[in-house]
């Protein structure tokens, strides 16, 4: 039986809040730094989205169905792309015409709503995102990935109740133990939900270490990486390479050789009769679940700990999170389009990430883009905005 490689890219562009002062509360309701957001998005489109999409389209056509790739695009990224770089949306729609591309479902605003147990905001966000993806790309998503691959047994059950049969998450070592991430697993409560796990080592060899000149394996060639794939799959079934799309052309610029690496790695796999590229929805059809995976506490693909402490690891973050989700029933009842949209955008995970006080690891992309001088400044800015939002909500 052929061994399989499954590639999935995440696309999310953080929307930065503008510097919102205490004296703005009750007077100004424009919360976002549209200039900075647009500038960064245009840079991403130029260096990553457009050239990378062009390369993937070329590879799909060249290998006539042998190369396949999955994407998850947050709703907030879609909104910004439609506003500032609609040509990127069109390029994804071109890819969607092929049966070699799968678009996944997620929370609309790259939200932490799955960690709010007392509201239905998570379900509402997922339904909204699913409808948007179907409208844009013509197919209803059947695979789910949560913000930063956040997952637990209970979150999996919530996703299964929404009708999904497959979910992506991280192959965290403290959860897997001696088990390999290179198999399909299943939720222990609802065994109909299949789990695909990120292979951290090989995914991060590309996403984190590719341009690291101090890495003892630098430079990473497609031949070397293909040999690692061969070794990793020697006694297993499917290798899941999950990463941010921005590693292609943005974090690893074109001059690093990342586009050539991707081109020739695809060639190595597509032309080898022992291997095949599969989409997530195809993986779970081809392979039976190896075992149940017990995840009693939430995991993610962030930091060395692979937990949720990047967003809810200190009192500042927990206070902001509690205040935000406490008002969800009131926002829902209000049925005001402008309030609902701002509420969705204020849920984005990066707002809480900027308040973190824990040390950064080498696996953090956001550390280079934090627009605040301290976690406390990020907290104060966010709470000023939230105070104004609550004021509007109560009027």
């Amino acid at each position: 039986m052929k061994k399989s490689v499954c590639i999935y890219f995440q696309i999310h562009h953080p929307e930065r809040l503008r510097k919102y002062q205490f004296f703005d509360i009750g007077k100004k309701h424009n919360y976002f730094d549209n200039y900075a957001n647009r500038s960064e998005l245009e840079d991403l489109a130029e260096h990553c989205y457009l050239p990378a999409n062009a390369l993937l389209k070329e590879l799909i056509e060249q290998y006539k169905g042998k190369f396949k790739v999955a994407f998850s695009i947050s709703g907030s990224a879609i909104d910004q792309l439609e506003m500032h770089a609609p040509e990127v949306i069109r390029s994804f729609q071109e890819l969607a015409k092929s049966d070699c591309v799968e678009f996944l479902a997620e929370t609309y605003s790259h939200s932490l709503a799955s960690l709010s147990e007392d509201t239905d905001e998570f379900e509402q966000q997922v339904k909204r995102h699913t409808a948007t993806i179907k409208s844009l790309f013509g197919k209803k998503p059947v695979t789910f990935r949560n913000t930063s691959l956040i997952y637990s047994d209970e979150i999996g059950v919530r996703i299964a109740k929404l009708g999904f049969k497959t979910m992506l998450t991280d192959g965290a070592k403290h959860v897997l133990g001696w088990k390999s991430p290179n198999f399909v697993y299943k939720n222990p409560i609802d065994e109909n939900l299949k789990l695909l796990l990120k292979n951290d080592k090989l995914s991060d060899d590309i996403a984190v270490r590719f341009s690291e000149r101090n890495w003892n394996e630098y430079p990473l060639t497609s031949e070397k990486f293909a040999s690692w794939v061969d070794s990793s799959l020697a006694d297993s079934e499917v290798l899941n390479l999950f990463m941010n799309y921005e590693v292609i052309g943005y974090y690893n610029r074109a001059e690093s050789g990342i586009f050539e690496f991707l081109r020739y790695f695809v060639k190595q796999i597509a032309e080898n009769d022992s291997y095949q590229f599969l989409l997530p929805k195809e993986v779970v059809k081809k392979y039976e679940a190896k075992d149940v995976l017990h995840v009693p506490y939430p995991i993610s693909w962030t930091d060395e700990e692979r937990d949720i402490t990047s967003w809810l690891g200190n009192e500042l973050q927990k206070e902001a999170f509690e205040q935000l989700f406490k008002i969800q029933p009131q926002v829902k009842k209000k049925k005001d389009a402008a309030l609902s949209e701002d509420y969705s955008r204020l849920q984005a995970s990066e707002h809480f990430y900027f308040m973190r006080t824990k040390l950064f690891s080498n696996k953090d992309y956001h550390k280079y883009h934090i627009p605040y001088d301290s976690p406390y400044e990020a907290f104060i800015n966010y709470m000023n905005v939230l105070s104004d939002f609550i004021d509007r909500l109560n009027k």
Side-chain angles (χ1 to χ4, degrees):
M1 181 183 292
K2 286 187 176 184
K3 303 297 180 74
S4 301
V5 175
C6 178
I7 297 178
Y8 139 76
F9 290 116
Q10 169 191 289
I11 298 162
H12 171 65
H13 177 63
E15 284 190 274
R16 292 190 184 184
L17 294 172
R18 71 178 185 84
K19 295 297 175 67
Y20 195 89
Q21 307 296 330
F22 174 79
F23 298 104
D24 292 332
I25 298 173
K27 299 176 183 177
K28 298 179 181 179
H29 311 313
N30 54 324
Y31 304 141
F32 297 92
D33 188 341
N34 293 323
Y35 176 79
N37 292 330
R38 177 174 183 168
S39 177
E40 290 179 6
L41 195 70
E42 289 175 344
D43 193 20
L44 280 163
E46 177 185 354
H47 291 97
C48 171
Y49 303 149
L50 292 174
N53 280 3
L55 174 59
L56 296 186
K57 185 173 185 291
E58 177 188 332
L59 293 172
I60 288 170
E61 293 172 351
Q62 178 180 349
Y63 293 105
K64 304 184 187 308
K66 288 187 176 182
F67 172 60
K68 300 179 179 183
V69 62
F71 291 100
S72 183
I73 313 176
S74 72
S76 54
I78 288 171
D79 290 342
Q80 292 179 79
L81 288 168
E82 288 182 325
M83 185 182 303
H84 302 307
E87 66 276 17
V88 174
I89 294 293
R90 290 194 292 271
S91 70
F92 277 114
Q93 288 173 327
E94 283 297 311
L95 289 175
K97 294 177 181 178
S98 166
D99 290 333
C100 298
V101 178
E102 180 181 0
F103 289 92
L104 314 185
E106 62 166 272
T107 57
Y108 194 86
S109 63
H110 205 256
S111 168
L112 299 177
S114 63
L115 302 175
S116 172
E117 299 176 358
D118 300 325
T119 74
D120 66 349
E121 183 65 23
F122 179 52
E123 286 76 9
Q124 297 304 315
Q125 289 249 347
V126 174
K127 290 175 182 177
R128 182 185 177 194
H129 186 267
T130 298
T132 299
I133 293 299
K134 183 178 180 181
S135 174
L136 274 179
F137 304 119
K139 294 180 182 177
K140 183 179 179 179
V142 296
T143 304
F144 184 80
R145 56 82 54 188
N146 201 6
T147 302
S148 295
L149 299 187
I150 292 173
Y151 172 80
S152 69
D153 295 338
E154 292 296 335
I155 292 172
V157 170
R158 293 175 75 174
I159 282 303
K161 287 180 178 178
L162 287 171
F164 293 95
K165 302 295 185 184
T166 311
M167 186 168 176
L168 277 52
T169 188
D170 190 78
K173 291 180 181 178
H174 69 277
V175 168
L176 276 172
W178 57 267
K179 298 175 183 176
S180 167
N182 297 352
F183 291 99
V184 176
Y185 291 89
K186 57 187 175 182
N187 182 284
I189 303 172
D190 189 333
E191 295 191 359
N192 289 318
L193 182 71
K194 302 300 188 292
L195 305 173
L196 300 186
L197 310 184
K198 172 190 171 186
N199 185 300
D200 286 333
K201 167 66 172 62
L202 293 181
S203 296
D204 291 346
D205 283 340
I206 301 173
V208 178
R209 293 178 279 273
F210 185 84
S211 294
E212 180 53 64
R213 292 180 177 271
N214 294 326
W215 183 32
N216 61 358
E217 296 290 354
Y218 181 88
L220 181 60
T221 64
S222 59
E223 292 83 4
K224 183 189 295 184
F225 192 73
S227 72
W228 295 348
V229 170
D230 188 64
S231 176
S232 182
L233 284 172
D235 299 311
S236 54
E237 296 173 339
V238 56
L239 173 67
N240 298 310
L241 298 175
F242 299 166
M243 63 197 86
N244 288 309
Y245 202 27
E246 291 81 9
V247 305
I248 311 296
Y250 187 75
Y251 292 117
N252 299 299
R253 294 287 176 158
E255 52 267 27
S256 72
I258 189 68
F259 287 97
E260 289 77 12
F261 168 83
L262 181 58
R263 179 188 300 277
Y264 287 104
F265 170 64
V266 170
K267 175 182 172 67
Q268 297 269 347
I269 300 300
E271 295 183 353
N272 188 328
D273 291 337
S274 299
Y275 295 102
Q276 61 185 343
F277 287 104
L278 289 183
L279 300 170
K281 63 183 180 181
E282 296 174 329
V283 172
V284 295
K285 289 182 179 180
K286 182 176 177 64
Y287 301 107
E288 293 292 328
K290 182 76 171 177
D291 200 351
V292 297
L293 187 71
H294 294 276
V295 188
Y297 304 105
I299 60 173
S300 74
W301 73 354
T302 301
D303 294 339
E304 298 291 345
E305 297 86 354
R306 296 296 199 264
D307 58 17
I308 59 171
T309 53
S310 282
W311 307 282
L312 295 177
N314 63 44
E315 293 306 313
L316 300 178
Q317 294 168 313
K318 292 174 183 176
E319 172 68 13
F321 181 86
E322 180 182 339
Q323 293 301 319
L324 178 68
F325 284 97
K326 184 169 67 175
I327 61 175
Q328 190 266 356
Q330 193 176 351
V331 176
K332 182 179 177 182
K333 184 178 180 181
K334 199 88 168 182
K335 296 183 179 179
D336 181 289
L339 284 172
S340 295
E341 186 60 28
D342 281 345
Y343 186 66
S344 174
R345 296 167 76 186
L346 289 174
Q347 291 178 44
S349 65
E350 57 268 12
H351 302 314
F352 300 88
Y353 191 93
F354 295 154
M355 302 175 200
R356 60 180 278 164
T357 50
K358 64 185 291 190
L359 295 175
F360 289 101
S361 76
N362 291 331
K363 297 180 180 181
D364 294 312
Y365 301 111
H366 299 297
K367 66 179 179 179
Y368 304 112
H369 301 282
I370 291 182
Y372 303 99
D373 293 330
S374 71
Y376 185 70
E377 182 186 327
F379 172 75
I380 292 298
N381 199 69
Y382 184 81
M383 295 307 288
N384 284 342
V385 168
L386 189 57
S387 295
D388 181 80
F389 179 83
I390 294 172
D391 185 54
R392 290 166 58 202
L393 186 63
N394 290 331
K395 283 184 178 177

